């Protein structure tokens, strides 16, 4: 099942990231995982949070905030686990735009967040291969 | 649909208008010659006497005034009456170091406000309208001019001044504003902010907007009309001639009628100063026919436009000026190519972007650089870096096609470009800092 990531478009200037994260903290929201892409002109902050609605409200006046569907796949914390998941997607000709990983606080499980070009197809294939993925409810309960 | 504030003047025959102008110019030249030493010296140097000016046809004998004269005569050198007869000054922003201070008698204020009233009525304004004025109040002519015009029409006037967009929107919605007066860039910004707050164009009661003080394109007009659900009218003026209202658009939206009973317009060749025939493109020159305190004769505006006397659907007979095609000041010469901000704006709006942009020109290793910063709307942004870069590349190609030189385009988040709540800072030319 896909989960919702929040993507925030930030000016590439000192203090923008601090300001944004502070607003999230003031809204009382916990960031489960994050990844920042930096380019010449802007940064893109991608977040998996405990409460996306609150994040959207907290950031409503600070530029572009868009929700994006991503897959959070659970892996065994062993050598080769990530490689196995990526091979499944490669075999199915699914392109990965970007990915990042995090550890579940409660279960200490390893998770990889995948942004792919065809989310529904990727979900179906991973499910068929026995890979479990998180739902929004799972993330909220983490 | 024809609405006039002063129908007898606005629809007067060509002969009637000429008779008014001829009578006024003879008096005005005499007034200036007797009271403004600076201009008397210019006339004497050219060998022109007040008696030589018998009608508006003779205006071409008079010397020109330019911004340089205004700077030299600052502050009192072009004053046409005793200060005790003056009741107000207005001033330009002076951002380019060329501050102009203009003086007004009560008569001058009244005629200026009347011109603004004609513009408001032409846009459909009546005493039943609620007119929200968010031009800056103070030294800038925008706020005081439209405020005065709105009073004369009898609109309920909301004297908002510029800035504080949340408050603008609150008053607009709570008090059912029907006419909006501001700069076009601020109108576009209000439109965007309304959409962000979840309002649809039909949720407001606005029917018309009167936008000026900045160059803007037809594309921008369509975009503002759509976002606010209104008809958008252009208005023209300069502090040097009084302020907004020197010319205004009617329901035909195809050029601005010049208030010819107060301002005589000529189009000249900017290089030779020669008067060009109707329909020619050239520099607009104004002679104020009956202002008392700051009576500029043959003032060169540096605005390039065309005048036409073609019959207008609205019934007005006053000559129409095209939207200025660019002020000679706005033109940038980058790597030897003439570039106008309006060309960049046209590309952005055609490609579906906002008119919120900033142009930065610099010189690196003796070569000019052109960087264009463009704000994205939230739904135009992608979480994938390559997608955003693809948008930058395709805008760069469209810009190169239009401009003839290749700029670097930078997409930036919403609200990251400093907002014009008075006038937009469209161009930052850093080359001037190095020279």
């Amino acid at each position: 099942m896909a989960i919702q990531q929040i993507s925030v478009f930030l000016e590439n200037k000192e203090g923008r990231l601090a300001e944004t994260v502070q607003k999230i903290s003031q809204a009382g929201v916990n960031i489960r995982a994050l990844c920042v892409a930096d380019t010449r002109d802007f940064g893109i902050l991608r977040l998996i949070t405990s409460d996306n609605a609150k994040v959207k409200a907290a950031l409503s006046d600070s530029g572009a905030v868009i929700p994006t569907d991503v897959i959070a796949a659970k892996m065994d914390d062993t050598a080769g686990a990530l490689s196995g998941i990526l091979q499944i997607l490669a075999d199915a000709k699914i392109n990965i735009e970007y990915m990042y990983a995090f550890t579940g606080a409660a279960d200490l499980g390893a998770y990889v967040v995948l942004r792919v070009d065809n989310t529904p197809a990727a979900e179906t294939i991973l499910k068929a291969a026995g890979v479990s993925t998180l739902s929004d409810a799972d993330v909220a309960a983490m | 649909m024809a609405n006039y504030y002063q129908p007898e003047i606005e629809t007067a025959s060509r002969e009637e208008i000429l008779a008014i102008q001829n009578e006024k110019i003879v008096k005005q030249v005499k007034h200036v010659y007797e009271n403004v030493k600076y201009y008397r010296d210019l006339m004497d140097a050219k060998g022109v006497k007040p008696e030589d000016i018998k009608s508006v046809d003779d205006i071409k004998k008079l010397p020109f005034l330019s911004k340089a004269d205004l700077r030299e005569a600052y502050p009192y050198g072009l004053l046409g009456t005793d200060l005790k007869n003056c009741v107000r000054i207005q001033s330009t922003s002076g951002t380019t170091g060329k501050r102009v201070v203009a003086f007004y008698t009560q008569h001058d204020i009244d005629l200026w406000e009347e011109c603004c009233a004609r513009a408001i009525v032409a846009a459909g304004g009546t005493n039943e309208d609620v007119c929200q004025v968010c031009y800056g109040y103070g030294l800038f002519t925008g706020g005081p001019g439209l405020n005065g015009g709105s009073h004369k029409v009898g609109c309920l006037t909301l004297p908002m001044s510029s800035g504080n967009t949340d408050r603008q929107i609150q008053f607009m919605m709570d008090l059912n504003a029907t006419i909006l007066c501001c700069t076009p860039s601020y109108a576009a910004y209000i439109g965007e902010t309304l959409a962000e707050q979840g309002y649809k164009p039909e949720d407001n009661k606005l029917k018309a907007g009167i936008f000026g003080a900045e160059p803007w394109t037809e594309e921008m007009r369509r975009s503002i009309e759509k976002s606010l659900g209104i008809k958008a009218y252009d208005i023209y003026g300069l502090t040097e001639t009084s302020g907004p209202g020197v010319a205004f658009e009617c329901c035909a939206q195809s050029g601005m009628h010049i208030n010819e009973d107060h301002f005589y317009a000529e189009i000249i060749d900017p290089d030779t100063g020669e008067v060009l025939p109707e329909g020619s493109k050239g520099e607009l020159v104004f002679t104020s026919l009956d202002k008392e305190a700051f009576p500029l004769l043959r003032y060169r505006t540096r605005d390039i436009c065309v005048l036409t006397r073609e019959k207008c659907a609205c019934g007005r007979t006053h000559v129409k000026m095209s939207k200025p095609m660019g002020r000679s000041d706005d033109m940038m010469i980058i790597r030897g190519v003439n570039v106008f901000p309006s060309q960049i704006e046209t590309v952005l709006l055609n490609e579906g972007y906002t008119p919120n942009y900033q142009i930065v020109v610099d010189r690196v290793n003796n070569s000019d650089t052109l960087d264009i910063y463009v704000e994205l709307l939230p739904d135009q942004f992608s979480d994938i870096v390559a997608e955003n870069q693809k948008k930058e590349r395709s805008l760069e190609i469209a810009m190169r096609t239009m401009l003839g030189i290749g700029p670097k385009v930078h997409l930036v988040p919403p609200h990251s470009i400093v907002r014009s709540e008075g006038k937009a800072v469209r161009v930052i030319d850093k080359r001037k800092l190095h020279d």
Side-chain angles (χ1 to χ4, degrees), chain B residues 31-56:
Chain B
H31 167 70
V32 172
Y33 192 82
E34 285 169 3
N35 293 287
V36 183
K37 180 179 180 303
Y38 189 94
Y39 200 77
R40 179 165 66 236
D41 290 347
L42 290 178
M43 282 176 66
D44 287 345
K46 218 172 175 246
V48 190
K49 294 282 165 236
E51 309 81 84
D52 297 334
I53 311 301
K54 299 187 180 71
S55 74
V56 286

Side-chain angles (χ1 to χ4, degrees), chain A residues 5 7-11 13 37 39-42 44 46 60-66 68 97-98 115, chain B residues 373 376-379 381-385 387-389 392-393 396 408-416:
Chain A
Q5 165 193 283
S7 305
V8 190
F9 192 32
L10 297 171
E11 265 180 292
K13 272 198 187 144
T39 71
R40 182 186 63 186
D41 298 315
F42 49 83
I44 301 172
R46 298 140 177 168
S60 64
D61 60 348
S62 58
V65 178
I66 56 162
T68 316
E97 304 285 1
Y98 58 82
R115 170 73 159 99
Chain B
Y373 293 85
L376 282 189
L377 291 173
D379 60 5
F381 140 76
S382 167
D383 61 308
I384 299 167
V385 173
E387 294 291 322
N388 297 311
Q389 287 173 337
E392 288 182 334
R393 293 300 87 76
E396 283 172 355
K408 208 177 270 176
V409 170
H410 308 260
L411 298 179
V412 295
H415 310 305
S416 53

Side-chain angles (χ1 to χ4, degrees), chain B residues 256-260 265 307-309 317-321:
Chain B
M256 294 174 274
H257 291 282
I258 295 172
N259 285 307
E260 286 189 280
L307 297 184
T308 171
R309 293 203 172 275
T317 48
H318 292 213
V319 69
K320 281 204 286 195
M321 60 179 274

Side-chain angles (χ1 to χ4, degrees), chain B residues 16-186:
Chain B
E16 288 171 301
I17 292 171
L18 267 175
I20 293 170
Q21 290 182 324
N22 288 339
E23 191 191 327
K24 286 185 177 179
I25 191 64
V26 172
K27 266 174 72 182
Q28 183 72 326
V29 172
K30 189 165 177 284
H31 167 70
V32 172
Y33 192 82
E34 285 169 3
N35 293 287
V36 183
K37 180 179 180 303
Y38 189 94
Y39 200 77
R40 179 165 66 236
D41 290 347
L42 290 178
M43 282 176 66
D44 287 345
K46 218 172 175 246
V48 190
K49 294 282 165 236
E51 309 81 84
D52 297 334
I53 311 301
K54 299 187 180 71
S55 74
V56 286
D57 282 341
D58 297 323
I59 285 181
K60 58 178 178 288
K61 298 176 183 164
L62 291 168
F64 290 115
L65 283 172
S66 69
K67 198 105 169 179
D69 293 302
L70 267 57
R71 203 163 30 203
E72 194 173 326
Y74 175 89
Y76 299 122
L78 290 160
L79 189 62
T81 185
D82 276 353
L83 273 182
K84 70 172 194 295
N85 300 324
C86 297
V87 296
R88 172 104 63 88
I89 67 149
Q90 302 287 164
S91 178
T92 59
S93 58
T95 42
T96 51
K98 303 174 197 161
R99 185 179 293 283
V100 170
V101 171
F103 299 84
Y104 302 73
T105 62
Q106 187 57 50
H107 162 269
D108 297 340
I109 297 276
D110 284 338
L111 83 81
W112 171 28
E113 291 179 353
E114 246 170 51
C115 289
C116 289
R118 290 180 194 174
I120 292 169
V121 172
T126 69
N127 61 5
E128 291 183 12
D129 279 294
V130 178
C131 183
Q132 179 163 3
V133 181
C134 26
Y135 283 111
Y137 279 61
L139 288 171
F140 178 44
T141 53
L146 270 307
N147 185 81
S150 173
H151 279 219
K152 283 216 164 18
V153 176
C155 303
L156 174 61
T157 310
L158 311 186
M160 304 297 298
S161 197
S162 60
N164 199 339
T165 307
D166 285 340
R167 189 178 63 190
Q168 300 279 8
I169 288 175
Q170 193 193 339
F171 275 77
M172 176 185 291
M173 303 309 282
D174 293 353
L175 294 168
N176 299 317
T178 55
I179 298 175
L180 179 67
C181 305
C182 59
T183 58
S185 58
Y186 196 49

